[in-house]
Amino acid sequence: MEQIPIIKMGEFLLVTIQVDMHDQLAVTLQEDLSNKIVATGAHGVLIDISALQVVDSFIGRILGNIAAISKVLDAHTVVVGMQPAVAITLVELGVSLKGVRTALNAEKGMELLRKSVMPKERSDGDTPG
Amino acid sequence: MAILRAETLQVCSPNEIAVIRQTVRAWASEIGFSLVDQTKIITAASELARNAATHGGGGTLLLEKLNDENRRGLRLTFEDQGPGIADIDLAMKEGYSTGGGLGLGLSGSRRLVNEFSISSRLGEGTRVSITKWV
């Protein structure tokens, strides 16, 4: 079955969507990611949508779902790389991606994830000098 | 107004919406839309195709390349033989949904195009037509 690969990198999961997602593929990604967060105990998920030329309300809803599910599972989600034409269209369509954190590119997204996770590590007893 | 080219596609299952998006992209690009306008009409088509596939039980999409005086355009007409819409004003309302979605399909796609028309008969089906000019 067709699947979008999820790569584990340290305590983060990386997803790069490189195909025009049909509906079932998006739903499969949502399930796979939820399972993988639990299986790996990941604290962050980075989703790169720079190759996506269209994000409609369905894909927007799935991105929102993923962010909400990972939050419940103690992980932060950052969506990165949205193309300007996609951003303009999404806002006019009325999809605000409320609750989904975004960053311009993967590098900035990783930075955001590290910052989000760091306070948690400190409270585990590893207080810096 | 002249219709320069026309083609009909089937819109049966939600998984076929990706094919619709690719076809609309090819037409929009050939007609000469900017990248932003291509993205807008493809996204509107994606919303309306999903409506036809999920609420209308499948239907058809008619693509038409238009020429009107000095402007070119793309008209997309979605038709299904589904249950129809009882209250079009309500269905057009932002956030109203019977399908568990965001309720942005109709109201949102209207904002992405230049012309929008909808007609529906209970028990017979729904027809939505959108046009975007270059």
Side-chain angles (χ1 to χ4, degrees), chain B residues 46-78:
Chain B
S46 193
E47 300 294 336
L48 298 175
R50 183 167 293 103
N51 281 352
T54 55
H55 301 294
T60 54
L61 162 61
L62 171 66
L63 299 109
E64 291 167 300
K65 180 181 175 180
L66 307 177
N67 197 16
D68 182 29
E69 309 270 313
N70 288 325
R71 56 181 187 170
R72 283 159 299 144
L74 177 58
R75 181 165 64 200
L76 305 177
T77 305
F78 292 87

PDB file of all heavy atoms in Angstrom, chain B residues 46-78:
ATOM      1  N   SER B  46     -10.705  21.187  -6.161  1.00  0.00           N
ATOM      2  CA  SER B  46     -10.518  20.101  -5.201  1.00  0.00           C
ATOM      3  C   SER B  46     -11.679  20.056  -4.204  1.00  0.00           C
ATOM      4  O   SER B  46     -12.217  18.986  -3.892  1.00  0.00           O
ATOM      5  CB  SER B  46      -9.189  20.314  -4.477  1.00  0.00           C
ATOM      6  OG  SER B  46      -8.809  19.179  -3.754  1.00  0.00           O
ATOM      7  N   GLU B  47     -12.088  21.234  -3.729  1.00  0.00           N
ATOM      8  CA  GLU B  47     -13.212  21.315  -2.780  1.00  0.00           C
ATOM      9  C   GLU B  47     -14.512  20.821  -3.428  1.00  0.00           C
ATOM     10  O   GLU B  47     -15.256  20.043  -2.834  1.00  0.00           O
ATOM     11  CB  GLU B  47     -13.405  22.758  -2.306  1.00  0.00           C
ATOM     12  CG  GLU B  47     -12.225  23.398  -1.594  1.00  0.00           C
ATOM     13  CD  GLU B  47     -11.912  22.751  -0.258  1.00  0.00           C
ATOM     14  OE1 GLU B  47     -12.823  22.150   0.340  1.00  0.00           O
ATOM     15  OE2 GLU B  47     -10.753  22.830   0.179  1.00  0.00           O
ATOM     16  N   LEU B  48     -14.774  21.315  -4.650  1.00  0.00           N
ATOM     17  CA  LEU B  48     -16.047  20.989  -5.294  1.00  0.00           C
ATOM     18  C   LEU B  48     -16.086  19.533  -5.738  1.00  0.00           C
ATOM     19  O   LEU B  48     -17.136  18.884  -5.694  1.00  0.00           O
ATOM     20  CB  LEU B  48     -16.290  21.929  -6.483  1.00  0.00           C
ATOM     21  CG  LEU B  48     -16.395  23.419  -6.094  1.00  0.00           C
ATOM     22  CD1 LEU B  48     -16.521  24.285  -7.336  1.00  0.00           C
ATOM     23  CD2 LEU B  48     -17.577  23.647  -5.151  1.00  0.00           C
ATOM     24  N   ALA B  49     -14.923  18.994  -6.145  1.00  0.00           N
ATOM     25  CA  ALA B  49     -14.861  17.586  -6.528  1.00  0.00           C
ATOM     26  C   ALA B  49     -15.152  16.704  -5.317  1.00  0.00           C
ATOM     27  O   ALA B  49     -15.854  15.695  -5.415  1.00  0.00           O
ATOM     28  CB  ALA B  49     -13.482  17.257  -7.107  1.00  0.00           C
ATOM     29  N   ARG B  50     -14.645  17.127  -4.157  1.00  0.00           N
ATOM     30  CA  ARG B  50     -14.885  16.346  -2.941  1.00  0.00           C
ATOM     31  C   ARG B  50     -16.369  16.368  -2.582  1.00  0.00           C
ATOM     32  O   ARG B  50     -16.939  15.357  -2.191  1.00  0.00           O
ATOM     33  CB  ARG B  50     -14.027  16.855  -1.791  1.00  0.00           C
ATOM     34  CG  ARG B  50     -14.194  16.018  -0.518  1.00  0.00           C
ATOM     35  CD  ARG B  50     -13.142  16.299   0.517  1.00  0.00           C
ATOM     36  NE  ARG B  50     -11.830  15.872   0.097  1.00  0.00           N
ATOM     37  CZ  ARG B  50     -10.886  16.676  -0.335  1.00  0.00           C
ATOM     38  NH1 ARG B  50     -11.104  17.961  -0.426  1.00  0.00           N
ATOM     39  NH2 ARG B  50      -9.717  16.196  -0.700  1.00  0.00           N
ATOM     40  N   ASN B  51     -16.995  17.543  -2.729  1.00  0.00           N
ATOM     41  CA  ASN B  51     -18.441  17.633  -2.480  1.00  0.00           C
ATOM     42  C   ASN B  51     -19.203  16.668  -3.387  1.00  0.00           C
ATOM     43  O   ASN B  51     -20.080  15.939  -2.928  1.00  0.00           O
ATOM     44  CB  ASN B  51     -18.947  19.056  -2.751  1.00  0.00           C
ATOM     45  CG  ASN B  51     -18.642  20.001  -1.601  1.00  0.00           C
ATOM     46  OD1 ASN B  51     -18.194  19.577  -0.547  1.00  0.00           O
ATOM     47  ND2 ASN B  51     -18.882  21.279  -1.814  1.00  0.00           N
ATOM     48  N   ALA B  52     -18.851  16.688  -4.681  1.00  0.00           N
ATOM     49  CA  ALA B  52     -19.565  15.836  -5.645  1.00  0.00           C
ATOM     50  C   ALA B  52     -19.348  14.358  -5.323  1.00  0.00           C
ATOM     51  O   ALA B  52     -20.264  13.548  -5.430  1.00  0.00           O
ATOM     52  CB  ALA B  52     -19.108  16.149  -7.068  1.00  0.00           C
ATOM     53  N   ALA B  53     -18.113  14.020  -4.904  1.00  0.00           N
ATOM     54  CA  ALA B  53     -17.794  12.613  -4.639  1.00  0.00           C
ATOM     55  C   ALA B  53     -18.405  12.125  -3.329  1.00  0.00           C
ATOM     56  O   ALA B  53     -18.886  10.998  -3.251  1.00  0.00           O
ATOM     57  CB  ALA B  53     -16.278  12.418  -4.619  1.00  0.00           C
ATOM     58  N   THR B  54     -18.392  12.968  -2.300  1.00  0.00           N
ATOM     59  CA  THR B  54     -18.849  12.482  -0.997  1.00  0.00           C
ATOM     60  C   THR B  54     -20.343  12.746  -0.760  1.00  0.00           C
ATOM     61  O   THR B  54     -21.055  11.856  -0.316  1.00  0.00           O
ATOM     62  CB  THR B  54     -18.034  13.104   0.156  1.00  0.00           C
ATOM     63  OG1 THR B  54     -18.091  14.518   0.049  1.00  0.00           O
ATOM     64  CG2 THR B  54     -16.590  12.682   0.114  1.00  0.00           C
ATOM     65  N   HIS B  55     -20.818  13.962  -1.083  1.00  0.00           N
ATOM     66  CA  HIS B  55     -22.235  14.260  -0.835  1.00  0.00           C
ATOM     67  C   HIS B  55     -23.104  13.858  -2.017  1.00  0.00           C
ATOM     68  O   HIS B  55     -24.251  13.471  -1.859  1.00  0.00           O
ATOM     69  CB  HIS B  55     -22.445  15.753  -0.567  1.00  0.00           C
ATOM     70  CG  HIS B  55     -21.671  16.263   0.605  1.00  0.00           C
ATOM     71  ND1 HIS B  55     -21.934  15.853   1.888  1.00  0.00           N
ATOM     72  CD2 HIS B  55     -20.639  17.128   0.685  1.00  0.00           C
ATOM     73  CE1 HIS B  55     -21.094  16.470   2.706  1.00  0.00           C
ATOM     74  NE2 HIS B  55     -20.296  17.233   2.001  1.00  0.00           N
ATOM     75  N   GLY B  56     -22.552  14.001  -3.230  1.00  0.00           N
ATOM     76  CA  GLY B  56     -23.356  13.771  -4.425  1.00  0.00           C
ATOM     77  C   GLY B  56     -23.293  12.340  -4.926  1.00  0.00           C
ATOM     78  O   GLY B  56     -23.936  11.992  -5.915  1.00  0.00           O
ATOM     79  N   GLY B  57     -22.479  11.511  -4.262  1.00  0.00           N
ATOM     80  CA  GLY B  57     -22.360  10.120  -4.688  1.00  0.00           C
ATOM     81  C   GLY B  57     -21.666   9.972  -6.030  1.00  0.00           C
ATOM     82  O   GLY B  57     -21.852   8.990  -6.743  1.00  0.00           O
ATOM     83  N   GLY B  58     -20.870  10.952  -6.393  1.00  0.00           N
ATOM     84  CA  GLY B  58     -20.143  10.899  -7.666  1.00  0.00           C
ATOM     85  C   GLY B  58     -20.837  11.720  -8.727  1.00  0.00           C
ATOM     86  O   GLY B  58     -22.032  11.973  -8.649  1.00  0.00           O
ATOM     87  N   GLY B  59     -20.064  12.150  -9.702  1.00  0.00           N
ATOM     88  CA  GLY B  59     -20.652  12.972 -10.757  1.00  0.00           C
ATOM     89  C   GLY B  59     -19.645  13.239 -11.852  1.00  0.00           C
ATOM     90  O   GLY B  59     -18.756  12.416 -12.097  1.00  0.00           O
ATOM     91  N   THR B  60     -19.783  14.393 -12.488  1.00  0.00           N
ATOM     92  CA  THR B  60     -18.884  14.719 -13.589  1.00  0.00           C
ATOM     93  C   THR B  60     -18.337  16.134 -13.431  1.00  0.00           C
ATOM     94  O   THR B  60     -18.924  16.970 -12.760  1.00  0.00           O
ATOM     95  CB  THR B  60     -19.616  14.671 -14.949  1.00  0.00           C
ATOM     96  OG1 THR B  60     -20.767  15.522 -14.873  1.00  0.00           O
ATOM     97  CG2 THR B  60     -20.040  13.260 -15.305  1.00  0.00           C
ATOM     98  N   LEU B  61     -17.195  16.347 -14.058  1.00  0.00           N
ATOM     99  CA  LEU B  61     -16.614  17.687 -14.145  1.00  0.00           C
ATOM    100  C   LEU B  61     -16.454  18.024 -15.623  1.00  0.00           C
ATOM    101  O   LEU B  61     -15.845  17.264 -16.376  1.00  0.00           O
ATOM    102  CB  LEU B  61     -15.237  17.728 -13.459  1.00  0.00           C
ATOM    103  CG  LEU B  61     -14.344  18.911 -13.852  1.00  0.00           C
ATOM    104  CD1 LEU B  61     -14.979  20.243 -13.506  1.00  0.00           C
ATOM    105  CD2 LEU B  61     -12.970  18.795 -13.185  1.00  0.00           C
ATOM    106  N   LEU B  62     -17.025  19.148 -16.025  1.00  0.00           N
ATOM    107  CA  LEU B  62     -16.845  19.652 -17.392  1.00  0.00           C
ATOM    108  C   LEU B  62     -15.854  20.811 -17.345  1.00  0.00           C
ATOM    109  O   LEU B  62     -16.080  21.804 -16.639  1.00  0.00           O
ATOM    110  CB  LEU B  62     -18.194  20.124 -17.951  1.00  0.00           C
ATOM    111  CG  LEU B  62     -18.164  20.885 -19.284  1.00  0.00           C
ATOM    112  CD1 LEU B  62     -17.705  19.974 -20.420  1.00  0.00           C
ATOM    113  CD2 LEU B  62     -19.539  21.477 -19.597  1.00  0.00           C
ATOM    114  N   LEU B  63     -14.728  20.651 -18.047  1.00  0.00           N
ATOM    115  CA  LEU B  63     -13.738  21.737 -18.128  1.00  0.00           C
ATOM    116  C   LEU B  63     -13.942  22.460 -19.451  1.00  0.00           C
ATOM    117  O   LEU B  63     -14.094  21.814 -20.495  1.00  0.00           O
ATOM    118  CB  LEU B  63     -12.313  21.177 -18.101  1.00  0.00           C
ATOM    119  CG  LEU B  63     -11.835  20.397 -16.893  1.00  0.00           C
ATOM    120  CD1 LEU B  63     -11.692  18.928 -17.245  1.00  0.00           C
ATOM    121  CD2 LEU B  63     -10.478  20.922 -16.425  1.00  0.00           C
ATOM    122  N   GLU B  64     -13.933  23.794 -19.434  1.00  0.00           N
ATOM    123  CA  GLU B  64     -14.080  24.565 -20.663  1.00  0.00           C
ATOM    124  C   GLU B  64     -13.089  25.724 -20.689  1.00  0.00           C
ATOM    125  O   GLU B  64     -13.020  26.516 -19.752  1.00  0.00           O
ATOM    126  CB  GLU B  64     -15.508  25.124 -20.776  1.00  0.00           C
ATOM    127  CG  GLU B  64     -16.554  24.062 -21.023  1.00  0.00           C
ATOM    128  CD  GLU B  64     -17.960  24.587 -20.806  1.00  0.00           C
ATOM    129  OE1 GLU B  64     -18.248  25.034 -19.673  1.00  0.00           O
ATOM    130  OE2 GLU B  64     -18.743  24.575 -21.765  1.00  0.00           O
ATOM    131  N   LYS B  65     -12.343  25.769 -21.765  1.00  0.00           N
ATOM    132  CA  LYS B  65     -11.432  26.900 -21.976  1.00  0.00           C
ATOM    133  C   LYS B  65     -12.213  27.975 -22.717  1.00  0.00           C
ATOM    134  O   LYS B  65     -12.771  27.726 -23.785  1.00  0.00           O
ATOM    135  CB  LYS B  65     -10.233  26.428 -22.805  1.00  0.00           C
ATOM    136  CG  LYS B  65      -9.218  27.485 -23.100  1.00  0.00           C
ATOM    137  CD  LYS B  65      -8.094  26.884 -23.944  1.00  0.00           C
ATOM    138  CE  LYS B  65      -7.105  27.953 -24.377  1.00  0.00           C
ATOM    139  NZ  LYS B  65      -6.023  27.362 -25.199  1.00  0.00           N
ATOM    140  N   LEU B  66     -12.280  29.190 -22.126  1.00  0.00           N
ATOM    141  CA  LEU B  66     -13.135  30.237 -22.666  1.00  0.00           C
ATOM    142  C   LEU B  66     -12.333  31.379 -23.271  1.00  0.00           C
ATOM    143  O   LEU B  66     -11.217  31.661 -22.850  1.00  0.00           O
ATOM    144  CB  LEU B  66     -14.020  30.815 -21.543  1.00  0.00           C
ATOM    145  CG  LEU B  66     -14.844  29.836 -20.713  1.00  0.00           C
ATOM    146  CD1 LEU B  66     -15.582  30.596 -19.616  1.00  0.00           C
ATOM    147  CD2 LEU B  66     -15.825  29.076 -21.589  1.00  0.00           C
ATOM    148  N   ASN B  67     -12.951  32.022 -24.239  1.00  0.00           N
ATOM    149  CA  ASN B  67     -12.386  33.241 -24.797  1.00  0.00           C
ATOM    150  C   ASN B  67     -13.517  34.268 -24.912  1.00  0.00           C
ATOM    151  O   ASN B  67     -14.520  34.034 -25.562  1.00  0.00           O
ATOM    152  CB  ASN B  67     -11.777  32.960 -26.169  1.00  0.00           C
ATOM    153  CG  ASN B  67     -10.836  34.072 -26.592  1.00  0.00           C
ATOM    154  OD1 ASN B  67     -10.428  34.880 -25.758  1.00  0.00           O
ATOM    155  ND2 ASN B  67     -10.521  34.135 -27.870  1.00  0.00           N
ATOM    156  N   ASP B  68     -13.344  35.410 -24.205  1.00  0.00           N
ATOM    157  CA  ASP B  68     -14.390  36.418 -24.186  1.00  0.00           C
ATOM    158  C   ASP B  68     -13.740  37.765 -24.491  1.00  0.00           C
ATOM    159  O   ASP B  68     -12.992  38.281 -23.671  1.00  0.00           O
ATOM    160  CB  ASP B  68     -15.056  36.424 -22.805  1.00  0.00           C
ATOM    161  CG  ASP B  68     -16.189  37.421 -22.722  1.00  0.00           C
ATOM    162  OD1 ASP B  68     -16.810  37.677 -23.762  1.00  0.00           O
ATOM    163  OD2 ASP B  68     -16.442  37.936 -21.623  1.00  0.00           O
ATOM    164  N   GLU B  69     -14.028  38.306 -25.675  1.00  0.00           N
ATOM    165  CA  GLU B  69     -13.371  39.536 -26.114  1.00  0.00           C
ATOM    166  C   GLU B  69     -11.861  39.323 -26.036  1.00  0.00           C
ATOM    167  O   GLU B  69     -11.334  38.500 -26.752  1.00  0.00           O
ATOM    168  CB  GLU B  69     -13.789  40.722 -25.236  1.00  0.00           C
ATOM    169  CG  GLU B  69     -15.290  40.875 -25.085  1.00  0.00           C
ATOM    170  CD  GLU B  69     -15.917  41.755 -26.157  1.00  0.00           C
ATOM    171  OE1 GLU B  69     -15.391  42.843 -26.428  1.00  0.00           O
ATOM    172  OE2 GLU B  69     -16.940  41.345 -26.740  1.00  0.00           O
ATOM    173  N   ASN B  70     -11.218  40.032 -25.094  1.00  0.00           N
ATOM    174  CA  ASN B  70      -9.768  39.908 -25.047  1.00  0.00           C
ATOM    175  C   ASN B  70      -9.276  39.071 -23.877  1.00  0.00           C
ATOM    176  O   ASN B  70      -8.089  39.055 -23.602  1.00  0.00           O
ATOM    177  CB  ASN B  70      -9.136  41.302 -24.955  1.00  0.00           C
ATOM    178  CG  ASN B  70      -9.277  42.026 -26.271  1.00  0.00           C
ATOM    179  OD1 ASN B  70      -9.213  41.390 -27.338  1.00  0.00           O
ATOM    180  ND2 ASN B  70      -9.501  43.319 -26.205  1.00  0.00           N
ATOM    181  N   ARG B  71     -10.201  38.434 -23.178  1.00  0.00           N
ATOM    182  CA  ARG B  71      -9.709  37.694 -22.012  1.00  0.00           C
ATOM    183  C   ARG B  71      -9.968  36.196 -22.174  1.00  0.00           C
ATOM    184  O   ARG B  71     -10.916  35.767 -22.804  1.00  0.00           O
ATOM    185  CB  ARG B  71     -10.347  38.221 -20.723  1.00  0.00           C
ATOM    186  CG  ARG B  71     -11.848  38.198 -20.727  1.00  0.00           C
ATOM    187  CD  ARG B  71     -12.395  38.752 -19.436  1.00  0.00           C
ATOM    188  NE  ARG B  71     -13.844  38.545 -19.416  1.00  0.00           N
ATOM    189  CZ  ARG B  71     -14.600  38.730 -18.361  1.00  0.00           C
ATOM    190  NH1 ARG B  71     -14.067  39.128 -17.231  1.00  0.00           N
ATOM    191  NH2 ARG B  71     -15.892  38.510 -18.416  1.00  0.00           N
ATOM    192  N   ARG B  72      -9.060  35.433 -21.549  1.00  0.00           N
ATOM    193  CA  ARG B  72      -9.198  33.980 -21.550  1.00  0.00           C
ATOM    194  C   ARG B  72      -9.615  33.519 -20.163  1.00  0.00           C
ATOM    195  O   ARG B  72      -9.316  34.182 -19.161  1.00  0.00           O
ATOM    196  CB  ARG B  72      -7.860  33.319 -21.907  1.00  0.00           C
ATOM    197  CG  ARG B  72      -7.519  33.362 -23.392  1.00  0.00           C
ATOM    198  CD  ARG B  72      -6.055  33.190 -23.590  1.00  0.00           C
ATOM    199  NE  ARG B  72      -5.322  34.280 -22.918  1.00  0.00           N
ATOM    200  CZ  ARG B  72      -4.157  34.129 -22.320  1.00  0.00           C
ATOM    201  NH1 ARG B  72      -3.573  32.955 -22.280  1.00  0.00           N
ATOM    202  NH2 ARG B  72      -3.562  35.157 -21.733  1.00  0.00           N
ATOM    203  N   GLY B  73     -10.289  32.415 -20.112  1.00  0.00           N
ATOM    204  CA  GLY B  73     -10.741  31.941 -18.813  1.00  0.00           C
ATOM    205  C   GLY B  73     -10.934  30.431 -18.787  1.00  0.00           C
ATOM    206  O   GLY B  73     -10.831  29.749 -19.809  1.00  0.00           O
ATOM    207  N   LEU B  74     -11.181  29.951 -17.585  1.00  0.00           N
ATOM    208  CA  LEU B  74     -11.427  28.520 -17.388  1.00  0.00           C
ATOM    209  C   LEU B  74     -12.711  28.376 -16.590  1.00  0.00           C
ATOM    210  O   LEU B  74     -12.872  28.990 -15.529  1.00  0.00           O
ATOM    211  CB  LEU B  74     -10.244  27.894 -16.624  1.00  0.00           C
ATOM    212  CG  LEU B  74     -10.348  26.413 -16.250  1.00  0.00           C
ATOM    213  CD1 LEU B  74     -10.549  25.529 -17.483  1.00  0.00           C
ATOM    214  CD2 LEU B  74      -9.082  25.962 -15.507  1.00  0.00           C
ATOM    215  N   ARG B  75     -13.645  27.608 -17.154  1.00  0.00           N
ATOM    216  CA  ARG B  75     -14.896  27.346 -16.442  1.00  0.00           C
ATOM    217  C   ARG B  75     -14.948  25.871 -16.068  1.00  0.00           C
ATOM    218  O   ARG B  75     -14.685  25.001 -16.900  1.00  0.00           O
ATOM    219  CB  ARG B  75     -16.099  27.709 -17.320  1.00  0.00           C
ATOM    220  CG  ARG B  75     -17.439  27.470 -16.595  1.00  0.00           C
ATOM    221  CD  ARG B  75     -18.591  28.154 -17.294  1.00  0.00           C
ATOM    222  NE  ARG B  75     -18.828  27.604 -18.631  1.00  0.00           N
ATOM    223  CZ  ARG B  75     -19.499  28.271 -19.587  1.00  0.00           C
ATOM    224  NH1 ARG B  75     -19.971  29.479 -19.364  1.00  0.00           N
ATOM    225  NH2 ARG B  75     -19.669  27.724 -20.778  1.00  0.00           N
ATOM    226  N   LEU B  76     -15.280  25.613 -14.817  1.00  0.00           N
ATOM    227  CA  LEU B  76     -15.399  24.235 -14.328  1.00  0.00           C
ATOM    228  C   LEU B  76     -16.824  24.032 -13.838  1.00  0.00           C
ATOM    229  O   LEU B  76     -17.323  24.797 -13.019  1.00  0.00           O
ATOM    230  CB  LEU B  76     -14.427  23.986 -13.169  1.00  0.00           C
ATOM    231  CG  LEU B  76     -12.944  24.290 -13.423  1.00  0.00           C
ATOM    232  CD1 LEU B  76     -12.144  24.067 -12.141  1.00  0.00           C
ATOM    233  CD2 LEU B  76     -12.407  23.408 -14.539  1.00  0.00           C
ATOM    234  N   THR B  77     -17.487  23.008 -14.355  1.00  0.00           N
ATOM    235  CA  THR B  77     -18.861  22.732 -13.936  1.00  0.00           C
ATOM    236  C   THR B  77     -18.948  21.331 -13.355  1.00  0.00           C
ATOM    237  O   THR B  77     -18.660  20.342 -14.041  1.00  0.00           O
ATOM    238  CB  THR B  77     -19.830  22.876 -15.131  1.00  0.00           C
ATOM    239  OG1 THR B  77     -19.656  24.167 -15.704  1.00  0.00           O
ATOM    240  CG2 THR B  77     -21.271  22.705 -14.672  1.00  0.00           C
ATOM    241  N   PHE B  78     -19.312  21.274 -12.094  1.00  0.00           N
ATOM    242  CA  PHE B  78     -19.463  19.990 -11.393  1.00  0.00           C
ATOM    243  C   PHE B  78     -20.943  19.647 -11.324  1.00  0.00           C
ATOM    244  O   PHE B  78     -21.757  20.472 -10.919  1.00  0.00           O
ATOM    245  CB  PHE B  78     -18.901  20.090  -9.968  1.00  0.00           C
ATOM    246  CG  PHE B  78     -17.417  20.243  -9.916  1.00  0.00           C
ATOM    247  CD1 PHE B  78     -16.838  21.499  -9.997  1.00  0.00           C
ATOM    248  CD2 PHE B  78     -16.584  19.148  -9.801  1.00  0.00           C
ATOM    249  CE1 PHE B  78     -15.456  21.657  -9.967  1.00  0.00           C
ATOM    250  CE2 PHE B  78     -15.212  19.291  -9.759  1.00  0.00           C
ATOM    251  CZ  PHE B  78     -14.643  20.545  -9.842  1.00  0.00           C
TER     252      PHE B  78
END
